[in-house]
Amino acid sequence: MKNITDKLIDKIIATGNPTVVGLDTRIEYLPEQLTKNLKTGEDVSKALTEFNCKLIDALYDIVPAVKIQSAYYEMYAHYGIYALYTTAAYAMEKGMTVMADVKRNDIGSTAEAYAAAYLGASGFDYVTVNPYLGSDGIKPFVDKCAENNKGIFVLARTSNPSSSELQNLDVGGEPLYMRVGGLIAEWGKDQIGEHGYSSVGAVVGATHPDEARALRNKYKTVFFLVPGYGAQGGKGKDAAASFDANGSGAIVNNSRGIIAAYKTDKYKGMTYTAAARAAAEAMRDDLASALKK
């Protein structure tokens, strides 16, 4: 049976686009027609959901996956959580892979609860996970991946500027992010699919291309989720460092660069859905060009 990463790679091949759209949806990203009459929590939930679902309608045939950052929904309490799960269900109906960006973990028993919450049989396809607690905090997630054919992306080399404070620390002659990469490969070694990649993947930022390249060269069965493209400064040539020689092995996230593209000068005058599609096509072409070099 194909693992979840096989299915994701198949969708990437079908669309010709290794892009995941980050639905980091903030009220200020919504057009005026969706915000002018917001009075209640229910109004907010409805507006977020409508914005997201119309984006999905505009993108599902050219983008294989969405990543939903839970923080932007949790800030609206249960109203936002309803929007998050409604959005996720709609994206799945459209055939997209759905990632929950939650960066969860805790001691083993609590990690079991988190794993059940997000990777249950009816849960998300992938979640992001923090490795700081070590193997006993990761095992429940890995077990759920095997049980329900789900996946996780474990933080390894993140895109934020201060990540070097911890991730570049020397640990026995190698930086900590490389040691974490080794653990990720070990955690996922029994869940490698037909395309050669495990359902246990790594988060590796486009803003650190040399380090991404080192991780890719050493850990050949680890699929990468690549943040940092676009607003954080990463470009196609930077993201390309996370891919293998066949142009596979990674998927690149872009959030506000797509969902709020209509607010930029480049796409001025377009509807938010048309601008999002145009931005997604431009990103696809940028990545394709970078991967040919």
Side-chain angles (χ1 to χ4, degrees), residues 24-181:
D24 300 0
T25 306
R26 304 178 66 99
I27 288 294
E28 54 263 38
Y29 295 165
L30 273 59
E32 184 180 356
Q33 67 264 28
L34 292 180
T35 61
K36 59 184 177 181
N37 293 317
L38 297 184
K39 296 178 180 178
T40 68
E42 287 90 348
D43 292 337
V44 170
S45 182
K46 182 179 178 180
L48 292 173
T49 302
E50 181 176 347
F51 180 78
N52 288 343
C53 290
K54 286 186 175 178
L55 283 171
I56 289 165
D57 285 339
L59 296 169
Y60 75 92
D61 61 323
I62 61 168
V63 174
V66 292
K67 180 173 70 67
I68 308 174
Q69 171 49 262
S70 65
Y72 294 103
Y73 301 84
E74 292 172 20
M75 66 192 293
Y76 299 113
H78 60 284
Y79 304 110
I81 298 300
Y82 181 82
L84 185 158
Y85 280 92
T86 304
T87 296
Y90 190 74
M92 289 181 180
E93 287 177 10
K94 290 293 187 178
M96 303 181 88
T97 295
V98 181
M99 307 172 186
D101 194 352
V102 294
K103 299 180 178 70
R104 295 294 194 260
N105 211 327
D106 212 307
I107 62 171
S109 57
T110 309
E112 289 176 4
Y114 278 137
Y118 291 103
L119 296 174
S122 59
F124 297 90
D125 294 309
Y126 288 90
V127 297
T128 54
V129 178
N130 191 320
Y132 198 75
L133 282 87
S135 297
D136 63 348
I138 295 291
K139 186 176 185 300
F141 292 95
V142 174
D143 290 346
K144 280 296 180 187
C145 289
E147 179 182 340
N148 295 320
N149 197 13
K150 304 288 187 177
I152 58 174
F153 288 108
V154 185
L155 304 180
R157 187 69 181 100
T158 59
S159 57
N160 58 304
S162 65
S163 59
S164 298
E165 294 173 2
L166 290 176
Q167 294 167 16
N168 278 16
L169 290 176
D170 184 274
V171 181
E174 65 179 354
L176 179 59
Y177 71 84
M178 289 296 290
R179 180 67 62 88
V180 172

